[in-house]
Amino acid sequence: MSLSAVLSAADPSPTPSESVTPVVPSLQDAHESATNAAGWVEENWSTWLAIGLRVLLILVIAVVLRVVVRRAITKLIDRMSRTGQAVDSTALGGLLVNAERRRQRSQAIGSVLRSVTSFLILGTAALMILGTFQINLAPLLASAGVAGVAIGFGARNLVTDFLSGVFMILEDQYGVGDSVDAGVASGEVIEVGLRVTKLRGDNGEIWYVRNGEIKRIGNLSQGWATAHVDVTVRSDEDLDRVKATLIEVAERTSKEEPWNELLWSPVEVLGLDSVLLESMVFRVSAKTMPGKSLTVERELRWRIKRAFDATGIRIVGGATAVEDAPAADPTAGMAAPSAYASSLSPQSLAASPLPPPNITK
């Protein structure tokens, strides 16, 4: 018998009709697998525990630090408000400090600071947790940088408005109740936001001005305002009498209520501002409360006009100069009466037609 025949008889090939019986692991194999798993867990449990404790420690520190910082910011804002209330109790504080303006400014600053600190603390904690799991942060940071640049280009106007609003509030350029000239619009500030500022115009309209569009700002309510009044009189008036009258009006206005509270300096007669052929201009000036310059100017004009009328000083300018011209003769434009107006005049008799001849004779 050949070797191939022996091998074929010893290991016959299974026929298609025969089924293969699955091998059932024995108890010894199961014990070995459990032993290997327990060994793998025993080898790595210390690493897992260290990672878990590190993540838990990072979260606890981040939460505690966020709470502490936010509470410190809130106390700082409250202290700013209490300082403003202490200023309100003084005589000058009520004129310089606006409660609504201070409240909105404090809330805006507190909101910005709390948001920035929360973002920084929680973002740093998230990056530290990812680093604990041995995750490569370089691609993530690169992707975040690219996304930030794309968002910045897409929403550059929004970012510009937001940053301008933040610096405007931090620098206290203007606030609620201020009269401002923003270039694109002017009026009284009724609301200050991080993106948009609301202005109430002179006619009652509300202007919504984006903070990023404000290139220059003129605040008419900070410090003090100036009231200027120009008085035009005839060139032949007595200079000393005009100046004395103006000084008397200025002194009386500075001492009377409520104008002595609106005036922050005595009313000054600056003297001749210009001299023309037929008129002279005197200038009167005074420092007033912010936003009260027009009120003081109207009162000064009223008092100066009454004082000039009492002393006989005439104010000229515009249509009032026509009153000094001599009155026109109403008969200057009439023609002389005609000699033919009377039927008995020689001219009328000579010009009358001859009677027709009598043809009956």
Side-chain angles (χ1 to χ4, degrees):
M1 183 179 292
S2 64
L3 181 61
S4 60
V6 173
L7 294 177
S8 300
D11 190 12
S13 60
T15 61
S17 60
E18 294 179 356
S19 60
V20 180
T21 304
V23 180
V24 178
S26 62
L27 182 61
Q28 184 178 0
D29 295 336
H31 179 70
E32 290 179 358
S33 299
T35 302
N36 294 334
W40 184 79
V41 171
E42 185 178 359
E43 291 177 359
N44 296 280
W45 76 271
S46 58
T47 305
W48 293 351
L49 181 61
I51 292 175
L53 291 178
R54 188 176 300 175
V55 171
L56 181 62
L57 181 62
I58 291 174
L59 291 176
V60 170
I61 292 177
V63 171
V64 172
L65 183 61
R66 179 174 178 268
V67 171
V68 171
V69 173
R70 288 173 66 90
R71 185 169 298 178
I73 293 174
T74 302
K75 289 184 178 180
L76 178 62
I77 298 302
D78 293 340
R79 182 175 299 178
M80 291 172 57
S81 300
R82 288 196 299 269
T83 304
Q85 292 176 0
V87 176
D88 283 341
S89 60
T90 62
L92 189 60
L95 303 177
L96 297 178
V97 180
N98 186 289
E100 181 65 17
R101 168 181 176 174
R102 185 180 60 252
R103 184 186 65 81
Q104 287 198 6
R105 180 170 179 261
S106 300
Q107 288 182 355
I109 293 175
S111 176
V112 171
L113 292 179
R114 284 190 290 265
S115 299
V116 170
T117 53
S118 298
F119 177 78
L120 292 178
I121 293 174
L122 297 181
T124 304
L127 293 178
M128 293 177 65
I129 291 174
L130 293 177
T132 303
F133 286 102
Q134 304 297 324
I135 297 177
N136 188 9
L137 299 179
L140 180 62
L141 295 178
S143 301
V146 173
V149 172
I151 293 174
F153 276 108
R156 57 184 181 275
N157 291 333
L158 182 61
V159 175
T160 302
D161 297 339
F162 180 81
L163 293 178
S164 299
V166 169
F167 283 105
M168 179 271 300
I169 292 175
L170 292 178
E171 296 173 0
D172 194 20
Q173 297 178 5
Y174 56 86
V176 175
D178 288 353
S179 296
V180 300
D181 181 3
V184 294
S186 60
E188 181 182 354
V189 180
I190 59 176
E191 185 177 342
V192 178
L194 293 177
R195 193 182 70 87
V196 175
T197 298
K198 293 183 182 180
L199 302 177
R200 175 78 68 177
D202 296 335
N203 297 325
E205 70 276 11
I206 296 180
W207 297 96
Y208 294 85
V209 183
R210 288 170 40 201
N211 295 328
E213 292 182 349
I214 302 177
K215 303 303 179 183
R216 53 92 174 168
I217 190 75
N219 196 326
L220 306 178
S221 300
Q222 287 185 352
W224 43 266
T226 305
H228 291 298
V229 175
D230 293 333
V231 183
T232 305
V233 298
R234 292 172 57 90
S235 59
D236 56 354
E237 294 288 347
D238 188 1
L239 294 177
D240 295 333
R241 186 175 64 159
V242 174
K243 185 176 181 180
T245 304
L246 293 176
I247 292 176
E248 181 182 358
V249 172
E251 293 178 351
R252 186 166 60 249
T253 305
S254 301
K255 295 178 181 179
E256 294 182 0
E257 294 183 355
W259 309 108
N260 56 354
E261 297 180 359
L262 301 181
L263 293 171
W264 284 11
S265 68
V267 181
E268 297 180 295
V269 180
L270 301 181
L272 280 174
D273 192 64
S274 64
V275 180
L276 303 177
L277 185 61
E278 297 180 354
S279 63
M280 299 180 298
V281 179
F282 284 82
R283 168 159 290 194
V284 180
S285 177
K287 290 183 180 180
T288 67
M289 286 179 56
K292 299 298 181 181
S293 59
L294 294 178
T295 304
V296 175
E297 288 177 1
R298 295 188 183 101
E299 181 65 19
L300 286 175
R301 292 190 187 98
W302 179 279
R303 292 171 179 261
I304 290 172
K305 179 62 172 65
R306 295 185 62 180
F308 280 6
D309 291 342
T311 56
I313 301 175
R314 287 177 294 178
I315 298 178
V316 299
T320 56
V322 180
E323 299 177 357
D324 297 334
D329 187 4
T331 62
M334 298 175 60
S338 176
Y340 297 97
S342 176
S343 60
L344 301 179
S345 63
Q347 292 82 356
S348 297
L349 294 176
S352 59
L354 297 176
N358 192 358
I359 59 176
T360 58
K361 293 182 178 180

